Amino acid sequence: MKIGFVIGNMSHTGGTERVLQLIANGLNQRGYQIVVISMWGKKELAFPLNKQIRRYRLAAKYPKGVGQNLKNIVSLYQIVKKEQITVLIDVDLILTFYSLPVKWCLPELRRISWEHFNYYYQFRKNNRIRRLAMRMAARFSDVVLVLSKEDESYYRDHLNIHGRLCQIYNPNTYEGVVGSTTETKMVFAAGRLTKAKGFDYLLQSWALLEKDFPDWKLVIAGDGEEKEALLRSKGEKELKSVDFIGCVADIESYYEKSAFFVLPSRNEGFGMVLIEAMAYKKPVVSFACKAGPRDIITNGENGFLISTGDYQAFADKMRILMESEELRKRMGEKAQESTKRFDIERILAKWEDLLELTE
């Protein structure tokens, strides 16, 4: 069996690319032949792959127009045939538009569509095209693979899936972390500064707390198109203890020294940052958005789940944690323990089971 992963841009420093690296390297170490094909992007990879993994890049820039896209389909077909790939995995359902024509030319090829967004996610660009890709993946893929049990139920209820529908969690990227024995009075959040990530809600929550906790700080890591709007909101609310620190290379140090982690997202593909923070013995406060946090958090044990958009309740749960160091430590211990089900070896075993199903 030879496995090909097709991804949009492997030079991008996102969570999807990080997870692909972990799965590709892990399967390669277990004896699988792996090929990673990036549709566009820089030659340099954001996350290193094992030397034994064959790597391709089809174009330097995002393809525009029918001609460029047809050229990329032909290039993908040539690589699959040359490498004698037997299982082709789309890392994003929209890549069905590229891999499906290859399947039609190579009927023995088996295809897995691996989605990293939830069923209800509303894309700002090309949302109708992505919905079409979702229906095509459901109709023509051997396997549709999703990240959470919650999302699996949405796909099962709303799509006529002709192949198999499977669910496998993303792996914990910080397995084996000891966790912090000390903390600072800092609440940490991280993610792209976009509308979907809900940092506007977080500022509304913090505005209800700041005066009562003058020695605490809210630190937000990340960048994105909502940055200026969020900075304006910070000024309008006269928030003094909120720091936007941009993208950071040492995010582990912020997990380490924070008191707890917050996720105010309107929607998620899964919520990897929750698992990362919990691996560092940090309790979490999160909206119960679609989809992922419900799979990760047991409400009241390793964190708190709040109805999406209820920033008052979000502030109330933050207040409870800010007032009780003993509660933070107790919930933090349970948080770290709960991440064991996301250990990389467990996840890779599930991937092997999945690949056996496609044989």
Side-chain angles (χ1 to χ4, degrees):
M1 179 184 293
K2 196 169 192 179
I3 304 165
F5 288 95
V6 185
I7 190 168
N9 181 0
M10 197 56 190
S11 65
H12 187 259
T13 58
T16 300
E17 292 75 21
R18 172 62 170 149
V19 169
L20 173 56
Q21 178 219 28
L22 292 171
I23 299 303
N25 284 347
L27 290 174
N28 177 242
Q29 289 166 0
R30 289 186 171 214
Y32 289 87
Q33 295 181 16
I34 305 293
V35 180
V36 173
I37 305 161
S38 186
M39 298 300 293
W40 64 88
K42 300 176 182 177
K43 292 182 179 180
E44 299 79 16
L45 302 182
F47 304 103
L49 295 169
N50 293 349
K51 291 182 179 180
Q52 298 90 343
I53 294 177
R54 301 272 289 173
R55 301 185 294 273
Y56 291 89
R57 180 193 62 151
L58 302 190
K61 296 182 179 181
Y62 182 86
K64 295 182 178 180
V66 174
Q68 183 62 61
N69 281 289
L70 287 174
K71 180 180 178 181
N72 284 356
I73 291 171
V74 172
S75 297
L76 180 60
Y77 165 80
Q78 292 171 338
I79 292 168
V80 171
K81 190 173 182 180
K82 172 188 171 183
E83 292 287 346
Q84 298 182 320
I85 291 169
T86 53
V87 179
L88 190 62
I89 302 173
D90 299 330
V91 190
D92 190 334
L93 294 192
I94 199 168
L95 296 175
T96 294
F97 291 123
Y98 296 95
S99 65
L100 186 55
V102 175
K103 165 73 172 181
W104 288 336
C105 296
L106 300 170
E108 297 302 313
L109 179 69
R110 296 181 297 282
R111 292 178 55 256
I112 297 174
S113 294
W114 182 19
E115 184 57 288
H116 288 257
F117 297 96
N118 73 67
Y119 174 82
Y120 289 101
Y121 194 94
Q122 293 293 313
F123 295 90
R124 294 182 64 182
K125 296 181 179 179
N126 301 325
N127 192 64
R128 290 184 179 179
I129 294 175
R130 283 183 170 273
R131 288 289 157 182
L132 175 61
M134 181 184 291
R135 293 193 294 273
M136 291 177 65
R139 175 65 179 84
F140 296 109
S141 297
D142 295 286
V143 177
V144 174
L145 179 62
V146 297
L147 301 183
S148 68
K149 294 185 184 302
E150 178 187 353
D151 209 26
E152 183 182 18
S153 69
Y154 300 146
Y155 276 79
R156 180 179 294 110
D157 292 344
H158 297 291
L159 288 176
N160 183 18
I161 296 176
H162 287 237
R164 291 186 176 91
L165 174 63
C166 297
Q167 177 271 324
I168 301 178
Y169 291 127
N170 281 342
N172 177 14
T173 54
Y174 294 113
E175 187 177 327
V177 170
V178 174
S180 176
T181 56
T182 60
E183 63 175 28
T184 61
K185 291 184 177 181
M186 185 259 282
V187 178
F188 185 46
R192 288 278 299 165
L193 303 185
T194 63
K195 194 73 172 178
K197 295 298 182 180
F199 291 114
D200 54 327
Y201 285 144
L202 182 57
L203 294 184
Q204 287 178 287
S205 297
W206 191 257
L208 301 174
L209 299 169
E210 187 175 77
K211 292 181 180 178
D212 295 335
F213 299 92
D215 52 344
W216 282 73
K217 180 178 289 188
L218 172 63
V219 175
I220 302 172
D223 206 349
E225 61 264 26
E226 291 291 311
K227 182 177 180 179
E228 293 304 319
L230 291 168
L231 289 173
R232 285 196 301 271
S233 178
K234 173 189 171 182
E236 291 165 359
K237 291 177 172 59
E238 299 182 346
L239 299 176
K240 306 299 183 184
S241 57
V242 177
D243 287 344
F244 288 90
I245 59 173
C247 296
V248 294
D250 60 337
I251 193 170
E252 300 86 356
S253 68
Y254 290 90
Y255 287 135
E256 183 81 25
K257 63 189 177 184
S258 64
F260 60 93
F261 185 84
V262 292
L263 187 81
S265 297
R266 288 174 167 83
N267 56 67
E268 280 288 337
F270 182 50
M272 278 298 297
V273 286
L274 290 174
I275 298 173
E276 292 174 359
M278 292 162 76
Y280 277 87
K281 291 187 177 180
K282 305 302 176 183
V284 294
V285 179
S286 173
F287 284 136
C289 62
K290 295 179 174 66
R294 288 186 182 93
D295 279 47
I296 298 169
I297 300 169
T298 302
N299 191 36
E301 292 189 16
N302 55 14
F304 292 113
L305 283 168
I306 296 97
S307 296
T308 305
D310 189 345
Y311 64 87
Q312 175 67 66
F314 201 95
D316 292 343
K317 296 304 183 185
M318 291 170 68
R319 180 183 296 274
I320 289 171
L321 287 175
M322 293 165 80
E323 289 178 339
S324 176
E325 180 180 358
E326 189 277 331
L327 179 61
R328 294 196 300 271
K329 288 184 177 180
R330 185 171 72 247
M331 294 183 77
E333 292 285 346
K334 291 183 178 180
Q336 187 183 61
E337 179 68 22
S338 69
T339 63
K340 289 182 178 180
R341 60 199 168 110
F342 306 110
D343 286 353
I344 183 65
E345 292 304 316
R346 293 189 184 190
I347 302 305
L348 288 172
K350 291 184 179 297
W351 269 92
E352 288 197 284
D353 291 342
L354 171 64
L355 293 170
E356 288 178 10
L357 287 174
T358 66
E359 288 187 309

